[in-house]
Amino acid sequence: MAYAATYDNEKALRRDVERAAQKGFLPQGQTGQSTTEGGVIGAFGVVLGNFRTQKTITVSYVRDPRWLASRAAEEHGRSAKTALERTSKSQRELDAARQELRTALASAESDPTSLAAQRRLLGAALSARGKLSDFIKREAEFENSFRAAAGAHDAAVASAAKAQVLPATPDVASRLAAAARAASVEMDEVARIVPDQQQIVRTFETLAAAQDTRAKKGSDLGKAQAALSATQAELEASSRTPEAPAKRRLFGLLSPRDPAVELDRAGIKLETAQYDLAQAEQHVLGLEQALSESLEIWEERVRSPLRRSIVG
């Protein structure tokens, strides 16, 4: 980038030279030392060799390579600092997710048949997987930013320009890279156990729903037994007082009702309730057996890998 300016006095030239220097521009031909060829203005070392008349001075300004190098080092340094802050934040969140995973696993180990504990373990595993992925991504961003900042810093030093201090040392970058590699291994492990943990939670949930259904069918059976008993009692009462049904039918307030038919209906409802409860009991027994098998798989495919590779 370059531009030219024309002056009719040296005072204006001096003023612009100072302003241009603040923006990283130098008069073309300036070397940083005094020279006598082409005209000199004081200690500025300005070579006025581009164009000069008796009344005007025309000077071309160009970017100072040192300013460019310093600016590049500053910008890359800021980017690297931001990336480091994000990576550090992500690492703290990952440490918290790991701790939650340890706690959730311990809870599930103490009571493997607890649906709440298994749900919590699944949630902790999913959270850890997300935090692991985020940390790996952030570390890669920092690594790229740090390399660019280090290169810009070296270039600034080589050109004798002002260079900002890097936001991290190579040792810090190396430790973060090693942590990201370890996190990648952990993420693969978590990704393998998540489907099995999801399956066991579904089995628990299905069993819980079946147990609720069994309880409802038991309640329905109780109601059917109560209804049968009430119908039997009504039939006995009507047999002792044959005039009662006629009184109830007076003025068409109640439709004619045969107690014997009502008794048959109550008996059918009772048999249906007994059958439904038996079916519900059989369903629960099958799910309990499936859960027992799932817990064996959980021990092998979920608990042991987590305890060995991540939590331990």
Side-chain angles (χ1 to χ4, degrees):
M1 183 182 295
Y3 73 94
T6 300
Y7 307 94
D8 57 7
N9 63 79
E10 293 182 358
K11 182 179 179 180
L13 173 58
R14 289 192 182 93
R15 183 189 61 224
D16 273 13
V17 167
E18 292 176 354
R19 291 177 178 176
Q22 295 174 0
K23 302 295 184 180
F25 283 94
L26 287 177
Q28 189 173 13
Q30 180 171 332
T31 62
Q33 298 176 351
S34 297
T35 178
T36 58
E37 182 179 355
V40 178
I41 298 180
F44 291 99
V46 178
V47 179
L48 307 178
N50 288 324
F51 182 73
R52 183 169 186 172
T53 69
Q54 291 182 348
K55 296 183 179 181
T56 62
I57 303 171
T58 301
V59 178
S60 295
Y61 292 90
V62 295
R63 279 293 191 189
D64 183 354
R66 295 170 301 175
W67 185 89
L68 290 173
S70 179
R71 184 68 177 271
E74 180 181 349
E75 291 178 352
H76 285 297
R78 281 199 301 266
S79 296
K81 181 180 179 182
T82 300
L84 178 60
E85 291 171 350
R86 290 175 177 172
T87 304
S88 299
K89 180 176 181 289
S90 177
Q91 191 171 35
R92 291 193 297 271
E93 293 175 350
L94 174 57
D95 290 341
R98 283 170 173 154
Q99 182 57 44
E100 172 59 23
L101 186 57
R102 294 186 187 98
T103 302
L105 179 58
S107 178
E109 287 175 329
S110 65
D111 187 6
T113 60
S114 168
L115 174 57
Q118 294 292 354
R119 278 175 171 167
R120 181 182 179 186
L121 179 58
L122 175 59
L126 291 172
S127 176
R129 184 178 65 177
K131 297 302 181 183
L132 285 162
S133 176
D134 183 68
F135 173 67
I136 293 169
K137 176 183 176 182
R138 295 301 183 189
E139 190 282 328
E141 292 174 352
F142 166 71
E143 185 174 351
N144 291 334
S145 296
F146 180 75
R147 288 178 178 175
H153 181 272
D154 292 344
V157 171
S159 65
K162 180 181 178 181
Q164 298 292 324
V165 177
L166 290 174
T169 65
D171 288 343
V172 171
S174 178
R175 286 197 297 270
L176 285 174
R181 289 192 294 271
S184 179
V185 174
E186 287 184 33
M187 189 171 67
D188 290 342
E189 195 67 55
V190 173
R192 280 193 291 269
I193 67 97
V194 162
D196 291 315
Q197 186 62 22
Q198 289 173 326
Q199 180 58 48
I200 195 170
V201 168
R202 283 194 293 268
T203 302
F204 268 102
E205 291 173 341
T206 303
L207 176 58
Q211 290 171 334
D212 289 343
T213 299
R214 181 180 62 182
K216 182 179 182 303
K217 296 302 180 182
S219 176
D220 291 344
L221 177 60
K223 292 177 181 178
Q225 290 172 332
L228 178 62
S229 298
T231 303
Q232 288 173 334
E234 184 179 356
L235 180 60
E236 292 175 0
S238 64
S239 65
R240 291 195 297 269
T241 55
E243 68 282 2
K247 292 179 180 179
R248 289 198 302 270
R249 293 195 299 269
L250 187 62
F251 305 118
L253 294 177
L254 294 174
S255 300
R257 190 161 65 98
D258 187 343
V261 174
E262 294 295 325
L263 184 63
D264 287 341
R265 289 175 178 172
I268 292 172
K269 288 182 179 179
L270 178 62
E271 291 176 357
T272 301
Q274 289 172 332
Y275 175 81
D276 289 344
L277 179 59
Q279 290 293 103
E281 289 280 4
Q282 191 66 28
H283 189 206
V284 168
L285 289 175
L287 289 173
E288 288 177 341
Q289 179 61 34
L291 179 60
S292 177
E293 296 172 357
S294 295
L295 286 174
E296 294 179 2
I297 295 174
W298 178 80
E299 172 68 26
E300 177 184 353
R301 298 183 183 178
V302 178
R303 193 203 71 81
S304 293
L306 283 178
R307 176 60 60 189
R308 180 180 62 252
S309 303
I310 299 175
V311 178

